[in-house]
Amino acid sequence: MKLKSIVKLILCACVAGLTISGPVSAVTETITPPAIPLVACDPYFSIWSNTDALNEGVTRHWTGRPHPITSLVSVDGKAFRLMGEKPSALDAMKQVAVEVLPTQTIYTFEGAGVSVKMTFLQAALPDDIDLMSRPVVYLTWDISSLDKKKHQVSVYFDAAMDLVVNDQAQRVSWGEEKIWGMKTLKAGSVSQNILGRKGDNVRIDWGYFYLSSANNQKADATIARPETCRDSFVSGSDMPEQISYIEECTVEDDSCPVMAMQFSRKVKSSGTQSCQVILAYDDLESVLYFGQNLSAYWKKDGKTIDKVIREASKDYRSIARRCAAFDAELIEDLKAAGGDDYVIIGNLAYRQALAANKIVADKKGMPLMFSKENFSNGCMGTVDVFYPFAPQVLLLNPTLAKASFVPILEYGRSERWRFPFAPHDIGTYPHAMGQVYGGGERTEDNQMPVEECGNMILLVGAVVQAENDIKFARQYWDVLTVWAEYLKSKGLDPENQLCTDDFAGHLAHNVNLSVKAIVALGAYAKMAVMMGETETAKSYRNTAEQYTKQWMEMADDGDHYRLAFDKPGTWSQKYNLVWDRLLGLKLFPESVAKKEMAYYRKVQNEYGLPLDNRSKYTKLDWIIWTASITGNKDDFEALAAPIVKFLDKTPDRVPMTDWYWTHDARHRGFQARPVVGGVFIRLMDNAKVWNKWVKRADSVDGTWAKLPKPPKIVDIVPMSIDEHYDWFYTFDAPKDNNWFAADFDPAAAGWKTGKAGFGTNGTPGAYLGTEWNSSDIWVTRKFELGKLACRPMLLAHHDEDAEVYINGILAAKLLGFTGSGQPFKLTDKAYKSLKEGTNTISIHCHQTTGGQYIDAGLVEVIPQKQDD
């Protein structure tokens, strides 16, 4: 619940005493953001404040789990809290403002005769992909005297070990890192199971966190128990000695330390004294891409985290100036395009959208940008997620847009993808091993064929528009043509299928989805002209024009257009219509957008325009798209204003959600998602602004490496998607500790029999044979095995954590969840236990939240010759 104190979200251009010359429109609004970004580098290195004041609560990962970072200040011997809720007995210095800008968050505190400004600065500069990809955040304290007197001021900071584990039961290690010119502390998990964990509600537990400060900052540093460090600071004592590494220490142990630094400054009656730390995270490996581990983009030239931290420290002032200049210019553009409310929305969206992505380098050093479906299902590179996100990068750097599209384009044209429509995703983050959503790669069930085909053609068309060059589309013209043909045959009146708003369920004759198909056909025709395929362009343009006429007749409902062609008295947001305007297609007459807009302005609720007539919930990103369909600023501001009211009044303290209720401002679902990057679509309507940003972007010229050829997967022991096998199962913890042994008799133990898979209806990708809705399930069965051609792998669809045993030997530990059957390596002992004839597989699966499901089999994964 929100606290009563008022937080000022001041949107201006200033950082650490650095200002930008020239006119800058400062926008001041008194609102209370639901959550404020502090560290927003990628889906794992992400820390937020969800309280009115920074010193009123613990800082958190975007998932809501505590990721505590703490700061204290001592003025003339009296200590105060600046950040965090501990020590709770200590007074909190009064927070007087918080400023959220595109690349930085600035808190200002006042008390004991001084002002303390804390700035979190992240070089999220779109014209420098290398810099943007660095997992580095500066935290700077600027202290000045308010009473014109001298003061002795000390600043303290610590970071908890929660930052390097998924859960507090995991063990951690720590120590000092030798980086020339820097004082640096380092911590990481003991297990270092690199890329071993995937899924949605998870945090990284591999790689290392670094807390660093330049030697000229004169920091005292230690790694010791938090109470000891903080008590020493409050009492004015020296920092305690560093605790030696204790292997058995877990984060939840009382003995678990924090990484701490403190600074001492003499503040004069005028001027400012500063101190600074650098927060960094080296994940070692970032993404599993069809069997290849890919590293972060900043590593592509052989750079190490040590070098990056040194460079970050050395280049701070120039980076800060660049960030301030970027912030000021983007704010000016937002204000001119949509007014003060648009500035607030854009500033809160900018880092959040980027933080749900990871930029890596392929084998040629080209950037690949992978989105993560935060708190929706954990999918990776999801087309209908980067479709709404894309305007941010289409506007500011089309190379990053292409870096998001390439994995799907390559996957969609590969032998692995067998369907005539675009894929939905390429895996579960951070494992890009093939689609997991709906029917995965095996069936057309629960796919989004019209949705994803339209998305991909429109996005490639937008890249062509931004760069005024057909080069990128030419590389993928073959697969784009296949998808255009699909839309030509299926797009005008879509069958009963899902669209990106899949939470609303299947819908036949979807009018807004039809709009997408029509404008995508127009975009394909426009690209065909640039390809020199005149007859193809003419044919597709004629089809798009004919479909537009049919659409207007079929969808008309008097003063608006319908939700579905066969449902009079309904309505929906036609957010896909915005592309007709942005791509200059001129398929739909302006009267269509004007007619819809007039209706929207009548039916919107206090906190926004509902998605359609079926429910009062909405999507924040789609409102901004819908608000942009006429190009009229007054229309835009009328639909944007309720969004800001929602952001101020919502009682749910999560990073800006895109799915909420328009009548009471409650969070409906989703948080910290990349889709909020879609709010920048309004700026793409100004060709001068769009061209300005594109021209200065960091354009990486070259072609991407071909997708590693996916291996051939042959079933040995099929899962229930092919045949519902009988298993023995129990929901009660087995009394026999050897329940997984090959000679265990489940029938004698009273276990029931049922067909796999086991789980609940609605779990993504589930093929339900037996309902399981308790917290735990134990299953076992016998299977027959013939002669093996190569080493088999476990094929498992699990939601959530599972231990799998083969012939009584632990074969795999599965963490998180998958949306379909995914291959996992068997332990050596389990593999060696396999024999021709009868074998046993046994599984314990534990569910914590959301859907639940377990099913498993065995496959042979046969490597294919890799492309160059």
Side-chain angles (χ1 to χ4, degrees):
M1 196 171 174
K2 289 189 176 179
L3 304 177
K4 293 182 179 180
S5 59
I6 295 177
V7 178
K8 290 184 178 179
L9 180 65
I10 304 174
L11 307 165
C12 58
C14 59
V15 53
L18 302 169
T19 57
I20 302 304
S21 60
V24 175
S25 295
V27 181
T28 304
E29 294 287 339
T30 302
I31 81 161
T32 309
I36 294 173
L38 309 177
V39 174
C41 290
D42 60 40
Y44 292 132
F45 194 31
S46 180
I47 306 173
W48 296 71
S49 171
N50 63 354
T51 51
D52 289 2
L54 187 59
N55 47 27
E56 290 176 340
V58 65
T59 56
R60 298 180 180 274
H61 188 260
W62 67 262
T63 58
R65 290 285 185 91
H67 260 28
I69 51 176
T70 300
S71 182
L72 312 175
V73 63
S74 177
V75 183
D76 301 324
K78 180 174 175 54
F80 302 87
R81 277 186 290 115
L82 295 178
M83 177 168 59
E85 60 186 4
K86 295 180 179 180
S88 56
L90 213 58
D91 290 338
M93 184 172 279
K94 183 180 179 181
Q95 179 180 304
V96 296
V98 55
E99 307 164 57
V100 179
L101 309 178
T103 66
Q104 56 203 298
T105 296
I106 308 168
Y107 286 89
T108 304
F109 303 87
E110 292 180 356
V114 303
S115 170
V116 181
K117 186 194 303 185
M118 288 179 63
T119 302
F120 293 85
L121 179 105
Q122 183 178 331
L125 298 170
D127 63 349
D128 192 331
I129 298 175
D130 182 83
L131 204 57
M132 176 182 277
S133 73
R134 293 182 180 182
V136 171
V137 171
Y138 303 92
L139 172 53
T140 306
W141 295 261
D142 294 302
I143 311 118
S144 58
S145 176
L146 288 176
D147 58 10
K148 305 304 179 183
K149 297 180 181 178
K150 296 179 181 180
H151 297 279
Q152 180 64 44
V153 177
S154 297
V155 172
Y156 170 89
F157 173 84
D158 73 47
M161 296 293 173
D162 302 67
L163 275 62
V164 299
V165 294
N166 176 63
D167 62 73
Q168 292 188 326
Q170 292 181 272
R171 293 180 295 135
V172 289
S173 63
W174 58 83
E176 294 187 42
E177 181 78 358
K178 292 183 179 180
I179 300 179
W180 186 86
M182 310 291 295
K183 181 167 289 187
T184 305
L185 305 176
K186 172 183 177 182
S189 70
V190 171
S191 61
Q192 287 298 310
N193 187 21
I194 298 173
L195 294 174
R197 189 181 296 275
K198 61 180 177 179
D200 197 5
N201 187 14
V202 297
R203 289 137 299 277
I204 196 168
D205 55 4
W206 66 87
Y208 296 93
F209 170 77
Y210 294 81
L211 172 61
S212 190
S213 184
N215 287 343
N216 60 14
Q217 293 284 327
K218 299 180 180 179
D220 291 326
T222 192
I223 302 177
R225 294 184 69 251
E227 294 82 2
T228 306
C229 292
R230 296 164 192 165
D231 289 349
S232 295
F233 176 79
V234 171
S235 67
S237 306
D238 293 335
M239 296 195 83
E241 292 186 7
Q242 183 166 311
I243 298 176
S244 299
Y245 169 52
I246 307 170
E247 185 172 340
E248 63 270 17
C249 179
T250 66
V251 176
E252 62 191 358
D253 291 341
D254 290 339
S255 58
C256 191
V258 294
M259 294 160 278
M261 287 188 175
Q262 68 181 45
F263 307 83
S264 180
R265 297 290 187 266
K266 292 182 179 179
V267 176
K268 298 180 180 179
S269 58
S270 61
T272 300
Q273 289 291 314
S274 301
C275 50
Q276 183 182 87
V277 296
I278 290 174
L279 314 178
Y281 204 109
D282 182 7
D283 61 5
L284 304 179
E285 301 286 355
S286 301
V287 165
L288 177 62
Y289 187 51
F290 289 99
Q292 293 181 359
N293 285 0
L294 299 183
S295 300
Y297 187 76
W298 60 268
K299 292 187 176 184
K300 66 183 176 61
D301 296 322
K303 283 188 178 178
T304 64
I305 192 67
D306 292 16
K307 185 173 183 181
V308 164
I309 290 173
R310 288 200 312 272
E311 290 181 354
S313 179
K314 179 174 68 72
D315 298 337
Y316 165 69
R317 293 194 68 81
S318 65
I319 288 173
R321 289 190 181 93
R322 290 172 63 187
C323 287
F326 170 75
D327 290 350
E329 187 171 4
L330 185 59
I331 287 169
E332 283 290 303
D333 287 346
L334 290 166
K335 183 175 174 62
D340 293 354
D341 287 334
Y342 192 32
V343 175
I344 293 171
I345 296 167
N347 281 4
L348 287 176
Y350 183 78
R351 266 176 293 157
Q352 173 177 316
L354 292 177
N357 288 269
K358 185 70 177 183
I359 307 173
V360 303
D362 71 10
K363 290 174 66 176
K364 290 185 176 181
M366 293 291 287
L368 294 174
M369 192 171 190
F370 294 103
S371 63
K372 180 179 186 293
E373 281 201 55
N374 289 346
F375 267 27
S376 46
N377 73 353
C379 275
M380 179 178 183
T382 303
V383 177
D384 55 283
V385 167
F386 65 62
Y387 173 65
F389 160 72
Q392 182 165 334
V393 284
L394 285 168
L395 171 75
L396 299 170
N397 192 335
T399 293
L400 287 174
K402 292 184 286 188
S404 297
F405 310 159
V406 163
I408 283 287
L409 290 164
E410 289 284 351
Y411 178 46
R413 74 185 338 181
S414 70
E415 295 177 6
R416 178 91 161 254
W417 185 252
R418 301 179 290 111
F419 306 115
F421 50 80
H424 168 274
D425 63 82
I426 57 171
T428 301
Y429 193 91
H431 292 186
M433 295 294 286
Q435 180 170 312
V436 296
Y437 184 84
E441 297 177 341
R442 291 172 175 255
T443 173
E444 294 189 25
D445 294 349
N446 295 319
Q447 302 275 11
M448 300 184 189
V450 172
E451 172 72 35
E452 311 303 21
C453 288
N455 291 345
M456 290 308 302
I457 292 172
L458 286 168
L459 292 175
V460 174
V463 165
V464 171
Q465 177 96 345
E467 298 181 331
N468 192 28
D469 191 338
I470 196 65
K471 180 180 177 181
F472 181 70
R474 189 183 299 278
Q475 295 176 54
Y476 298 102
W477 195 245
D478 56 346
V479 71
L480 292 172
T481 299
V482 171
W483 297 340
E485 279 294 308
Y486 188 89
L487 292 181
K488 190 174 182 179
S489 64
K490 300 283 190 178
L492 172 61
D493 189 7
E495 298 165 341
N496 189 37
Q497 60 187 249
L498 296 169
C499 70
T500 183
D501 307 314
D502 56 353
F503 47 81
H506 288 70
L507 179 67
H509 317 297
N510 187 328
V511 172
N512 185 45
L513 189 57
S514 177
V515 171
K516 177 173 291 183
I518 294 169
V519 292
L521 290 171
Y524 179 81
K526 185 174 181 179
M527 289 188 286
V529 172
M530 299 177 71
M531 287 285 294
E533 297 184 4
T534 306
E535 291 303 314
T536 297
K538 183 178 179 181
S539 173
Y540 274 88
R541 178 70 192 189
N542 288 341
T543 298
E545 290 176 350
Q546 180 60 38
Y547 284 180
T548 300
K549 293 177 183 178
Q550 292 177 253
W551 184 95
M552 292 178 66
E553 294 173 359
M554 295 161 59
D556 189 57
D557 209 51
D559 61 351
H560 66 279
Y561 295 94
R562 300 174 180 178
L563 163 69
F565 292 126
D566 63 339
K567 294 184 182 296
T570 62
W571 64 271
S572 64
Q573 291 189 38
K574 308 302 187 296
Y575 53 81
N576 289 311
L577 189 61
V578 71
W579 291 107
D580 190 43
R581 179 180 184 83
L582 297 180
L583 300 182
L585 302 176
K586 298 183 179 180
L587 288 166
F588 290 84
E590 291 184 4
S591 60
V592 172
K594 290 180 178 179
K595 180 173 169 176
E596 282 288 279
M597 183 60 70
Y599 190 79
Y600 298 149
R601 294 184 68 161
K602 289 191 300 183
V603 299
Q604 70 173 337
N605 290 329
E606 182 177 5
Y607 299 107
L609 176 67
L611 187 63
D612 55 53
N613 63 275
R614 291 175 293 179
S615 177
K616 293 180 181 179
Y617 60 58
T618 193
K619 289 284 270 83
L620 184 151
D621 46 337
W622 295 151
I623 292 179
I624 295 296
W625 287 36
T626 298
S628 304
I629 62 174
T630 65
N632 181 281
K633 187 176 181 181
D634 183 67
D635 288 336
F636 182 87
E637 291 180 334
L639 267 62
I643 295 176
V644 172
K645 189 173 184 180
F646 155 72
L647 292 169
D648 181 40
K649 300 299 183 181
T650 178
D652 301 307
R653 310 308 297 266
V654 299
M656 187 163 62
T657 181
D658 55 289
W659 189 22
Y660 67 91
W661 295 104
T662 59
H663 65 293
D664 63 3
R666 294 306 303 256
H667 171 224
R668 174 62 181 85
F670 308 158
Q671 64 197 54
R673 300 216 304 162
V675 302
V676 297
V679 305
F680 292 95
I681 202 164
R682 167 73 175 165
L683 295 183
M684 293 169 61
D685 195 25
N686 186 322
K688 184 177 179 181
V689 170
W690 192 359
N691 290 334
K692 173 192 71 174
W693 288 109
V694 169
K695 285 180 180 178
R696 71 176 61 164
D698 180 10
S699 178
V700 180
D701 190 25
T703 58
W704 279 262
K706 289 183 180 179
L707 180 77
K709 198 163 187 179
K712 184 178 181 180
I713 298 178
V714 179
D715 286 335
I716 303 173
V717 180
M719 296 202 316
S720 62
I721 191 171
D722 299 305
E723 181 178 348
H724 283 300
Y725 284 92
D726 282 326
W727 294 64
F728 284 95
Y729 72 94
T730 180
F731 301 142
D732 300 317
K735 296 178 181 178
D736 189 339
N737 291 334
N738 290 318
W739 62 270
F740 48 81
D743 59 358
F744 173 71
D745 187 349
W751 289 29
K752 298 178 181 180
T753 58
K755 295 188 180 299
F758 298 86
T760 56
N761 282 315
T763 300
Y767 283 76
L768 200 62
T770 302
E771 184 179 22
W772 160 50
N773 59 13
S774 62
S775 62
D776 293 85
I777 189 171
W778 291 259
V779 298
T780 185
R781 81 176 182 92
K782 304 290 185 182
F783 64 90
E784 298 298 316
L785 199 62
K787 189 173 183 180
L788 297 173
C790 63
R791 178 168 179 155
M793 297 183 75
L794 174 72
L795 189 69
H797 179 174
H798 64 99
D799 189 346
E800 298 173 53
D801 298 352
E803 301 95 39
V804 181
Y805 299 85
I806 299 288
N807 296 327
I809 297 171
L810 182 65
K813 282 190 175 183
L814 311 177
L815 303 175
F817 67 89
T818 63
S820 65
Q822 296 290 299
F824 298 91
K825 184 179 178 181
L826 298 173
T827 62
D828 289 341
K829 289 184 177 180
Y831 163 61
K832 291 176 181 178
S833 77
L834 289 170
K835 58 184 182 295
E836 288 188 50
T838 303
N839 295 263
T840 303
I841 181 170
S842 306
I843 306 171
H844 168 222
C845 188
H846 174 69
Q847 192 269 350
T848 59
T849 186
Q852 58 190 97
Y853 189 74
I854 187 66
D855 189 20
L858 290 177
V859 292
E860 288 180 323
V861 180
I862 304 172
Q864 304 294 295
K865 184 178 179 181
Q866 296 297 305
D867 296 325
D868 295 333

